[in-house]
Amino acid sequence: MTRFLKKKGCIIDKLNGEKMKERIKIFDTTLRDGEQSPGASLNVFEKLEIARQLAKLNVDIIEAGFPVSSPGQFEAVQRIADESDKIIAGLARAKEIDIKTAYEALRNGKNPRIHTFSSTSDFHIMGKFADSKYGATLAEKRSTIIKMSYDAVSYAKTFLNDVEFSAEDAGRTDTGYLCDVIEAAIEAGAMTINIPDTTGYTLPHEFGAKIAEIKKRVKNINKAVISIHCHNDLGLAVANSLAGIENGARQVECTINGIGERAGNASLEEIVMTLNVRKDACNYYTGIKVDELYNSSRMVSGFTGIIVQPNKAIVGENAFAHESGIHQDGMLKDKSTYEIMNPESVGVKKTKIVLGRHSGRHGLKSRLEELGYHLPEDKIQKVYDLFLELADKKKEVFDDDLRILMGDEIYKKKELFELEYLNITSGTETIPTATVRIKTGDKTFKESSIGDGPVDASFNAIERALGFKPALESYNVRSVTSGRQAMGEAIVRIRDGENSFSGRGVSTDIIEASAKAYLQAINQLYLFNHTALVFENDNLVIK
Amino acid sequence: MTRFLKKKGCIIDKLNGEKMKERIKIFDTTLRDGEQSPGASLNVFEKLEIARQLAKLNVDIIEAGFPVSSPGQFEAVQRIADESDKIIAGLARAKEIDIKTAYEALRNGKNPRIHTFSSTSDFHIMGKFADSKYGATLAEKRSTIIKMSYDAVSYAKTFLNDVEFSAEDAGRTDTGYLCDVIEAAIEAGAMTINIPDTTGYTLPHEFGAKIAEIKKRVKNINKAVISIHCHNDLGLAVANSLAGIENGARQVECTINGIGERAGNASLEEIVMTLNVRKDACNYYTGIKVDELYNSSRMVSGFTGIIVQPNKAIVGENAFAHESGIHQDGMLKDKSTYEIMNPESVGVKKTKIVLGRHSGRHGLKSRLEELGYHLPEDKIQKVYDLFLELADKKKEVFDDDLRILMGDEIYKKKELFELEYLNITSGTETIPTATVRIKTGDKTFKESSIGDGPVDASFNAIERALGFKPALESYNVRSVTSGRQAMGEAIVRIRDGENSFSGRGVSTDIIEASAKAYLQAINQLYLFNHTALVFENDNLVIK
């Protein structure tokens, strides 16, 4: 007999009158591991918006960043912790400076968590702890790491209670040694123990067996929640996460759209929807509001500039599209023929709501809020003006246009250089020529240049105007909304020594978008060279 | 004791001196299920090139298409079968017309296979066989389908020996009934039995158990190879495929980049590399030449226009990129810290080979061949001229530029309309204006128009010139190669009643690429309206 009871928005099932479904905590690391995706750097405002959307999606824990790594990371963690009711985690290596800085960022939050970690696989130990100060032999280095882990957790506990410990590269760590590290971390007070498959190496049955063995062998394991964190290098991150849950994990670390280092992390939407669609076969549930999955996906893709491939499960453009005649025919007869979930259930809207220049301020604001964007009172007029300008060009303004409007125009950083004027002539028999006027403070620079195409010409003109020629690392452009007056988005990355900077520009004119993106990347480079994080006499100072 | 023996390029392992590794056949369905991805339509030349690359990759079976569905499908299957040494499969519903047409397409091939299928899940039976002519009750309909399956295989066997049978939606089919269908199909002579998880519904342990049960319960199962075909709706296609192999499947159906209906099929590269990277834990191997994976991925993405997201496992742009300071630091110390496979092993080249205007005809041809493209003698001069034109614009010509050159310029269909001239003026304070001259036969049309951006203006001018305004379904643009003179690719889809047509254009000038793409889509629409497939007196005629 199966009974369904609705309770506080979560479904609690009694299966066969015996086994209660267990809740899995969703630990979202889009803002930390996800932001480590090459080219994904987010500014503070974008991170705040994503954190708000994650709260709306009802994740349990938001990992907001790695505070010691940069002033921007610190500020983002601090502002998210200050604002959010969710558990906010800050990452810290097993070092006092990291832990203290994480605490500084989190201290005013309602539910702060310090997430500290050590490397535990032999690969990592021999690679990262080669120095003899960590011990002469592998055995000695291993002991050092147990002590470092214990000390790190103990130190974090002097600041707050909610401490999570991760054993980096646990997937490739000898399970016996891993159990010793975990036991020490729990003894020091870690309340969550995370088992990351950092390199995406394990197979589902191996990863499941590892979790089962940890649960069996670690004496004090009942004092902590087991967490898992899987990477997707072999395409198995979601299956490994499910195997982990099946074997005792009750927290899953994952990201929206599966973004993250290399091939990314386990995709939040795939894990959540597997447990949801297959609730007949899974004894677990999450608190996720699944109809916010699509909005979350679009927001993260829009802000990070990381595209979601059309064939991405759950949130890809084609995830619910049926192409072949046979499939289309089947779908007309009965949807369940080829559809195991309803697109609307994950928040894909069937009817496109279109705004136009006659939509009022209020209509715009409420549509933006439905899409997950928060519009501060002092920004309404600015956004509305931009909206009217766009409506003049596009006639029909779709949700995606609004998402881009919010991404591009509202939350961008202070610009040192502003593109005031751009003119382009180009064509099959014309030498592409660009003219620009750039404003910085009360100065303006004007220049023109030819180029190999209109984009090249405009970049050349910008370089001449500023007398500065950075190394161009990559240039990408795509259309982000539909229709011929589609908004084009350009992303430019430039390099200055060891650091790279990206800029994004959006316009119905692709060339203009490109020039704006290039200029924004140059802005980022300038701003970076004038900012530094310093820890002075126990106080954190941003210069 | 582990001994490794090299034999004909495949590694045969003797594990513990006992168990021989088993070979898994790779059945690539990029050209059939993959091409069913919305927007992926490939022309015959593109399919031939992909089939050649799949042969180079050394897949075991190439499913080349669904011959009865269109004249283009028929022609592609026929030409691939005529040319290739591989097993070439053609899809056919359990209908005589389908099977006969598939045979017509395959008949001159060296290793033809007819792949026929019936629907077996109750969802499909009640949805697609609702008509009472198939039986009044579910039980009667089920019997009808067993008979249809038996008859279809028997009919296919009258043409050739290598017949594969699929039980559509087997993932949601009652296993007992499924076993009955399979037994009948094998009795009729099916040599391969495919178990598709058509809707991507199953969990790995369920799918594995289903294969194990089929192997156990179907009496004549030893007379056939068990095949699996998994979809990725929940992100589990690769894990399900591995579970299928573990439980007795010896053929895997998959696609390059995991493209296919909805969220796509199991990704060939992820399955193959899991078996390869984890050969320590897997008792199976494939014949795939893994260093051709990257070339294959790029070719398929280039021809289909379906982008691969940066965080896609194995072949994504970031799959081997290390972003965070910690990871970069670890990688410098020892690559194995964060890398479980070498990018070079899957064919990602470390050193970019750059061609320029001083590269000769021979250098260009051999580079193209390394990238998997075949250059017919009569096309060499054309390609070389295009290459020189590009080298003039770009100075450094990268592999990706060559890929695009091949995709765009060489294999495109006969064009009715050609863009002879385009001129654009645009900018922040300029009303975007385009002028075009279009040639068709010996006529030329000239027109100009303003627009909301330079792309809109050029589309308007084309429409005015041709006196024809199709419904624009989508417009996408992206840069496909690196550098500021990047080649931009535009894809335009237009709709005419029930049919949609796409066009692709490539240029260092994004506006020109867009105009070319629009014109190509219009070309496709015109060509379509003058082609039809007719089956006359046992002969297939393309009109």
Side-chain angles (χ1 to χ4, degrees):
Chain A
M1 195 192 77
T2 310
R3 282 184 289 147
F4 293 91
L5 306 167
K6 283 253 175 195
K7 195 177 165 185
K8 284 187 187 167
C10 306
I11 295 167
I12 294 176
D13 290 0
K14 277 206 154 189
L15 280 171
N16 305 319
E18 282 181 316
K19 223 173 167 183
M20 193 78 104
K21 288 219 174 199
E22 288 189 63
R23 170 146 174 176
I24 304 299
K25 287 182 189 170
I26 298 293
F27 177 111
D28 180 279
T29 183
T30 304
L31 295 175
R32 205 275 302 163
D33 212 341
E35 208 226 357
Q36 283 178 219
S37 308
S41 58
L42 297 164
N43 68 40
V44 170
F45 301 104
E46 292 165 336
K47 287 187 184 177
L48 272 166
E49 275 296 73
I50 291 175
R52 290 177 194 131
Q53 178 60 27
L54 292 171
K56 203 167 167 191
L57 183 65
N58 205 28
V59 305
D60 299 282
I61 301 104
I62 297 169
E63 185 161 55
F66 187 7
V68 83
S69 66
S70 78
Q73 288 272 340
F74 183 91
E75 190 191 348
V77 175
Q78 188 172 47
R79 294 190 59 172
I80 292 167
D82 286 0
E83 178 182 300
S84 185
D85 290 332
K86 292 282 167 192
I87 298 175
I88 304 299
L91 189 69
R93 283 167 300 184
K95 292 183 174 182
E96 293 205 351
I97 176 80
D98 283 42
I99 294 165
K100 193 176 168 63
T101 308
Y103 174 67
E104 290 294 332
L106 295 165
R107 66 186 304 164
N108 295 320
K110 292 191 193 73
N111 296 296
R113 171 183 292 189
I114 293 175
H115 178 195
T116 186
F117 68 99
S118 299
S119 296
T120 55
S121 72
D122 294 349
F123 286 103
H124 277 225
I125 294 174
M126 297 311 282
K128 294 158 81 178
F129 296 88
D131 196 312
S132 62
K133 74 179 177 190
Y134 299 109
T137 63
L138 176 62
E140 281 176 27
K141 288 177 199 291
R142 281 183 164 193
S143 298
T144 305
I145 282 168
I146 292 184
K147 189 174 178 317
M148 280 173 66
S149 306
Y150 182 91
D151 290 349
V153 174
S154 304
Y155 184 65
K157 290 293 272 196
T158 64
F159 296 112
L160 45 72
N161 195 38
D162 188 352
V163 176
E164 169 168 338
F165 174 78
S166 277
E168 200 190 6
D169 204 17
R172 295 191 298 174
T173 301
D174 166 73
T175 307
Y177 173 62
L178 183 59
C179 288
D180 294 343
V181 179
I182 293 169
E183 193 179 325
I186 296 175
E187 207 179 298
M191 296 170 69
T192 305
I193 293 292
N194 184 42
I195 312 297
D197 182 22
T198 305
T199 55
Y201 178 77
T202 63
L203 302 175
H205 73 271
E206 292 174 332
F207 194 69
K210 187 167 281 244
I211 302 302
E213 207 172 335
I214 288 165
K215 211 171 145 64
K216 194 174 125 194
R217 284 171 63 167
V218 177
K219 272 179 265 165
N220 50 8
I221 196 70
N222 289 334
K223 292 186 186 159
V225 172
I226 301 177
S227 169
I228 50 183
H229 174 116
C230 297
H231 277 269
N232 204 34
D233 296 74
L234 295 173
L236 295 168
V238 172
N240 283 347
S241 300
L242 296 173
I245 291 169
E246 202 60 53
N247 285 280
R250 292 296 172 265
Q251 174 180 297
V252 185
E253 303 194 1
C254 44
T255 61
I256 301 291
N257 299 337
I259 62 170
E261 281 279 355
R262 305 186 311 281
N265 289 62
S267 142
L268 182 147
E269 57 278 8
E270 294 174 11
I271 295 172
V272 166
M273 287 311 289
T274 299
L275 297 180
N276 181 295
V277 170
R278 296 308 315 280
K279 55 166 83 89
D280 61 307
C282 296
N283 203 34
Y284 313 97
Y285 72 99
T286 70
I288 295 297
K289 298 213 167 88
V290 298
D291 58 358
E292 285 295 333
L293 285 172
Y294 186 71
N295 275 345
S296 307
S297 168
R298 296 314 299 253
M299 183 186 281
V300 168
S301 175
F303 283 150
T304 59
I306 300 182
I307 48 171
V308 173
Q309 65 193 17
N311 52 322
K312 167 79 177 65
I314 318 292
V315 292
E317 200 189 324
N318 292 345
F320 300 100
H322 302 270
E323 179 70 1
S324 80
I326 294 178
H327 284 214
Q328 285 175 358
D329 191 50
M331 286 296 291
L332 288 176
K333 287 177 180 153
D334 183 356
K335 281 197 154 197
S336 58
T337 320
Y338 291 102
E339 207 165 85
I340 57 171
M341 65 194 126
N342 190 320
E344 288 83 16
S345 71
V346 298
V348 178
K349 294 282 182 295
K350 216 172 184 174
T351 336
K352 282 189 182 171
I353 293 169
V354 178
L355 300 184
R357 56 173 299 108
H358 300 296
S359 310
R361 221 176 253 89
H362 181 72
L364 174 66
K365 185 164 186 271
S366 71
R367 187 69 204 137
L368 282 170
E369 276 162 11
E370 274 167 53
L371 296 176
Y373 298 90
H374 294 72
L375 200 51
E377 285 301 316
D378 61 336
K379 292 263 170 97
I380 294 180
Q381 193 54 46
K382 186 183 172 193
V383 174
Y384 191 64
D385 290 345
L386 288 166
F387 165 76
L388 287 180
E389 200 181 299
L390 182 65
D392 263 346
K393 289 187 193 164
K394 278 210 68 179
K395 291 163 198 96
E396 291 190 320
V397 178
F398 296 101
D399 286 352
D400 275 345
D401 294 311
L402 296 178
R403 289 184 170 108
I404 290 304
L405 194 75
M406 296 303 287
D408 183 56
E409 298 292 351
I410 309 309
Y411 295 107
K412 68 182 172 194
K413 283 189 187 168
K414 195 186 124 208
E415 301 283 359
L416 287 173
F417 305 107
E418 219 173 303
L419 183 71
E420 272 197 343
Y421 172 89
L422 169 74
N423 191 281
I424 288 289
T425 43
S426 183
T428 48
E429 283 161 46
T430 313
I431 298 173
T433 309
T435 312
V436 297
R437 188 171 68 237
I438 295 163
K439 196 182 164 190
T440 176
D442 47 10
K443 281 185 205 160
T444 55
F445 303 94
K446 288 180 276 192
E447 256 301 352
S448 76
S449 174
I450 60 162
D452 294 324
V455 174
D456 187 43
S458 63
F459 286 11
N460 288 340
I462 290 171
E463 288 164 6
R464 276 194 178 163
L466 300 181
F468 175 64
K469 196 178 173 66
L472 187 74
E473 201 169 82
S474 72
Y475 163 62
N476 280 286
V477 63
R478 55 177 189 140
S479 69
V480 275
T481 67
S482 50
R484 72 178 63 182
Q485 308 98 333
M487 298 277 267
E489 178 190 52
I491 297 174
V492 172
R493 296 189 91 194
I494 56 176
R495 179 161 285 279
D496 182 31
E498 293 216 334
N499 302 300
S500 77
F501 304 90
S502 65
R504 192 160 68 221
V506 177
S507 169
T508 51
D509 178 343
I510 283 170
I511 314 301
E512 189 187 330
S514 304
K516 282 161 77 181
Y518 191 46
L519 212 51
Q520 203 188 75
I522 295 174
N523 274 315
Q524 303 270 46
L525 187 152
Y526 271 80
L527 285 171
F528 180 85
N529 289 336
H530 296 87
T531 324
L533 177 90
V534 187
F535 214 85
E536 277 176 0
N537 309 323
D538 279 25
N539 290 312
L540 198 73
V541 185
I542 299 171
K543 285 190 174 174
Chain B
M1 197 190 75
T2 310
R3 284 184 290 150
F4 293 91
L5 305 168
K6 281 254 174 195
K7 196 177 165 185
K8 285 187 188 167
C10 304
I11 294 168
I12 294 176
D13 290 359
K14 277 205 154 189
L15 279 172
N16 307 317
E18 283 180 316
K19 222 173 168 183
M20 193 77 105
K21 288 218 173 200
E22 288 189 63
R23 171 145 173 176
I24 304 299
K25 287 184 188 166
I26 298 293
F27 177 112
D28 181 278
T29 184
T30 304
L31 295 175
R32 205 276 300 164
D33 211 341
E35 209 225 355
Q36 281 178 222
S37 308
S41 58
L42 297 165
N43 68 41
V44 171
F45 302 104
E46 292 165 337
K47 286 186 184 176
L48 272 166
E49 274 295 74
I50 291 175
R52 291 177 193 131
Q53 177 61 26
L54 292 172
K56 202 169 169 191
L57 183 65
N58 204 29
V59 305
D60 298 283
I61 301 103
I62 297 170
E63 184 161 56
F66 187 6
V68 83
S69 66
S70 79
Q73 288 272 339
F74 183 90
E75 190 192 348
V77 175
Q78 189 173 46
R79 294 190 59 172
I80 292 168
D82 286 359
E83 177 183 301
S84 185
D85 291 331
K86 292 281 169 194
I87 298 173
I88 305 299
L91 189 69
R93 283 167 300 185
K95 293 185 173 181
E96 294 204 350
I97 176 80
D98 284 42
I99 293 166
K100 191 176 169 64
T101 308
Y103 174 67
E104 290 293 333
L106 295 166
R107 64 186 304 165
N108 296 320
K110 294 192 192 74
N111 297 296
R113 171 182 293 189
I114 293 175
H115 178 194
T116 187
F117 68 97
S118 298
S119 296
T120 56
S121 72
D122 293 349
F123 286 105
H124 277 224
I125 294 174
M126 298 310 283
K128 292 159 83 176
F129 297 89
D131 195 312
S132 61
K133 73 178 176 190
Y134 299 108
T137 63
L138 176 61
E140 281 176 26
K141 289 177 199 291
R142 280 183 165 192
S143 298
T144 307
I145 282 168
I146 291 184
K147 189 172 179 318
M148 280 173 67
S149 306
Y150 181 91
D151 291 347
V153 174
S154 305
Y155 184 65
K157 290 293 273 194
T158 65
F159 297 112
L160 45 72
N161 195 38
D162 188 353
V163 176
E164 169 168 340
F165 173 78
S166 277
E168 201 189 5
D169 204 18
R172 294 190 299 176
T173 301
D174 167 71
T175 308
Y177 173 62
L178 183 59
C179 288
D180 294 342
V181 179
I182 293 170
E183 195 179 322
I186 296 175
E187 208 179 297
M191 297 169 69
T192 305
I193 293 293
N194 184 42
I195 312 298
D197 183 23
T198 305
T199 54
Y201 178 76
T202 63
L203 302 176
H205 73 272
E206 292 173 332
F207 193 68
K210 186 167 283 246
I211 302 302
E213 206 170 336
I214 288 166
K215 210 171 146 64
K216 194 174 125 195
R217 284 172 61 168
V218 177
K219 274 178 263 164
N220 51 6
I221 195 72
N222 289 334
K223 292 186 187 161
V225 172
I226 301 177
S227 169
I228 49 182
H229 174 116
C230 297
H231 277 268
N232 204 34
D233 296 73
L234 295 172
L236 294 169
V238 172
N240 283 348
S241 300
L242 296 173
I245 292 170
E246 202 61 53
N247 286 280
R250 292 296 172 265
Q251 174 180 297
V252 185
E253 303 195 0
C254 44
T255 62
I256 301 289
N257 300 337
I259 62 171
E261 280 279 356
R262 306 184 313 280
N265 288 63
S267 144
L268 182 148
E269 58 278 7
E270 294 174 11
I271 294 171
V272 166
M273 288 311 290
T274 299
L275 297 181
N276 181 295
V277 170
R278 298 306 316 280
K279 56 167 80 89
D280 61 306
C282 295
N283 203 35
Y284 314 97
Y285 72 99
T286 71
I288 296 296
K289 298 212 168 89
V290 297
D291 58 358
E292 286 295 335
L293 286 170
Y294 186 71
N295 275 345
S296 309
S297 167
R298 296 313 300 254
M299 184 186 281
V300 168
S301 174
F303 283 151
T304 59
I306 299 182
I307 47 171
V308 174
Q309 64 193 18
N311 52 322
K312 167 78 177 65
I314 317 292
V315 292
E317 199 189 324
N318 293 345
F320 300 100
H322 301 269
E323 177 71 0
S324 80
I326 293 178
H327 284 213
Q328 286 175 358
D329 191 50
M331 286 296 291
L332 288 176
K333 287 177 180 153
D334 182 357
K335 282 197 154 196
S336 58
T337 320
Y338 290 102
E339 208 165 85
I340 58 171
M341 66 195 126
N342 190 320
E344 287 83 15
S345 71
V346 298
V348 178
K349 294 282 182 297
K350 216 173 183 172
T351 336
K352 283 190 181 170
I353 293 170
V354 178
L355 299 182
R357 55 173 301 108
H358 301 296
S359 310
R361 222 177 253 87
H362 181 73
L364 173 67
K365 186 166 186 271
S366 71
R367 187 69 205 137
L368 281 169
E369 277 163 9
E370 275 167 50
L371 297 176
Y373 298 90
H374 294 70
L375 200 51
E377 284 303 315
D378 62 335
K379 292 265 171 97
I380 293 180
Q381 192 55 46
K382 185 183 173 194
V383 175
Y384 190 64
D385 290 345
L386 288 166
F387 165 76
L388 287 180
E389 200 182 298
L390 181 65
D392 263 347
K393 286 188 193 161
K394 278 210 68 180
K395 292 164 198 95
E396 294 188 319
V397 179
F398 296 101
D399 286 352
D400 275 344
D401 295 309
L402 296 178
R403 289 185 170 107
I404 291 306
L405 194 72
M406 295 302 287
D408 183 54
E409 298 292 349
I410 309 307
Y411 295 108
K412 68 181 172 195
K413 284 189 188 169
K414 196 186 124 210
E415 300 284 359
L416 288 173
F417 305 107
E418 218 173 304
L419 184 70
E420 272 198 341
Y421 171 89
L422 170 74
N423 191 281
I424 287 289
T425 43
S426 183
T428 48
E429 283 161 46
T430 313
I431 298 172
T433 309
T435 311
V436 297
R437 187 171 67 237
I438 294 164
K439 198 183 162 189
T440 176
D442 47 11
K443 280 185 205 160
T444 55
F445 302 95
K446 289 180 277 193
E447 257 300 353
S448 75
S449 175
I450 59 162
D452 294 325
V455 174
D456 188 42
S458 62
F459 286 11
N460 288 340
I462 290 171
E463 288 164 6
R464 275 194 178 165
L466 300 181
F468 175 64
K469 196 179 171 67
L472 187 75
E473 200 169 84
S474 71
Y475 163 61
N476 279 287
V477 64
R478 57 175 187 141
S479 70
V480 275
T481 66
S482 49
R484 70 177 65 183
Q485 306 99 333
M487 297 277 269
E489 179 190 52
I491 297 174
V492 172
R493 296 189 92 192
I494 57 177
R495 179 162 285 281
D496 181 32
E498 292 216 334
N499 302 299
S500 77
F501 303 90
S502 64
R504 192 160 67 222
V506 176
S507 169
T508 51
D509 178 342
I510 283 171
I511 313 303
E512 189 188 329
S514 304
K516 282 161 77 181
Y518 190 46
L519 212 49
Q520 204 189 74
I522 294 174
N523 273 313
Q524 304 270 47
L525 187 150
Y526 271 80
L527 285 172
F528 180 85
N529 289 336
H530 297 87
T531 324
L533 177 91
V534 186
F535 213 86
E536 277 176 359
N537 307 324
D538 278 25
N539 290 311
L540 197 74
V541 184
I542 298 171
K543 285 192 175 174

